[in-house]
Amino acid sequence: MKLYIKPGACSMASHIILAEIGGDFAVEIVDTANGETASGANYREINPKGKVPALEVGGEVLTEGPAILQFLGDRVPGKGLAPAPGTLARARVNEVLNFTGTELHVAFGPLFSPSATEAQKDAARQAVAGKLDWLESRLADGRTYLTGEAFGIADAYAFVVANWANFTGIALSRWPHLSAFMARVAARPAVQCVLKAEGLAA
């Protein structure tokens, strides 16, 4: 398998799950601005959407982070990274994946846009805060991870996107349960390896 990533982007979640699974896989960085991979390939020939992540597997290319995460989680069921399809527990994982992708991820958009005004960025920070409130509420009952006591694919995605707060002027200390969750996830050996590999940790 080969995963195409942009350091620090949402593709980091798939990188984390690959590291959790272990085994043989390759990672290649993509410059999404000019559509070129680190090896000089035209990335749009690999993924016409031009976005990361993309996963080459079995002669095919799978795109969209949540789809990749579910594929990887199901690939090694013994790791416990995704509940069995068709269960309520799996639906809860999908609930968090969808929220992270369609609500939290999207809310951060203006904060990474060079054309956004300060007023737009302030409004985006307020929108992000509202989404982080929901994650905080999920963790307020003392659970270790967002869908229970086991780390899984939804936690990887939420961790990566919530971590963008640290680069956009949003203090996660406002959400104590979420802050503790972030620290727990960051301390995982696989996550530490990925943070270092993507240049976000020494």
Side-chain angles (χ1 to χ4, degrees):
M1 289 187 291
K2 184 176 187 179
L3 179 69
Y4 293 90
I5 69 161
K6 180 178 179 180
C10 59
S11 52
M12 181 185 288
S14 298
H15 195 179
I16 287 170
I17 295 303
L18 277 170
E20 290 277 351
I21 291 169
D24 187 27
F25 66 90
V27 172
E28 185 164 358
I29 292 174
V30 178
D31 183 336
T32 52
N34 68 18
E36 188 173 274
T37 72
S39 63
N42 180 344
Y43 184 58
R44 285 197 175 271
E45 292 181 358
I46 298 165
N47 177 12
K49 298 172 183 174
K51 304 290 187 180
V52 292
L55 182 72
E56 285 184 347
V57 57
E60 296 191 32
V61 176
L62 180 63
T63 65
E64 301 298 331
I68 293 171
L69 289 167
Q70 290 180 72
F71 170 77
L72 293 174
D74 290 340
R75 190 175 176 89
V76 188
K79 291 286 186 178
L81 295 167
T87 62
L88 180 58
R90 180 57 168 262
R92 289 297 186 193
V93 167
N94 288 338
E95 179 181 30
V96 177
L97 285 173
N98 288 331
F99 173 82
T100 303
T102 64
E103 299 285 340
L104 183 60
H105 191 156
V106 171
F108 270 104
L111 297 173
F112 293 107
S113 171
S115 62
T117 66
E118 281 308 310
Q120 289 171 327
K121 289 182 178 181
D122 285 343
R125 289 188 186 95
Q126 291 181 29
V128 168
K131 312 307 179 186
L132 296 178
D133 284 344
W134 187 80
L135 293 180
E136 177 76 3
S137 71
R138 293 283 299 177
L139 296 159
D141 62 1
R143 67 182 67 192
T144 304
Y145 295 107
L146 288 165
T147 57
E149 294 309 305
F151 174 81
I153 57 175
D155 300 296
Y157 191 16
F159 167 79
V160 169
V161 178
N163 193 52
W164 296 344
N166 293 313
F167 306 97
T168 53
I170 300 169
L172 284 177
S173 57
R174 291 170 53 186
W175 298 275
H177 297 290
L178 178 59
S179 294
F181 161 83
M182 296 293 286
R184 280 193 296 276
V185 175
R188 296 179 67 84
V191 177
Q192 280 291 305
C193 287
V194 171
L195 290 171
K196 290 174 183 175
E198 297 199 15
L200 295 184

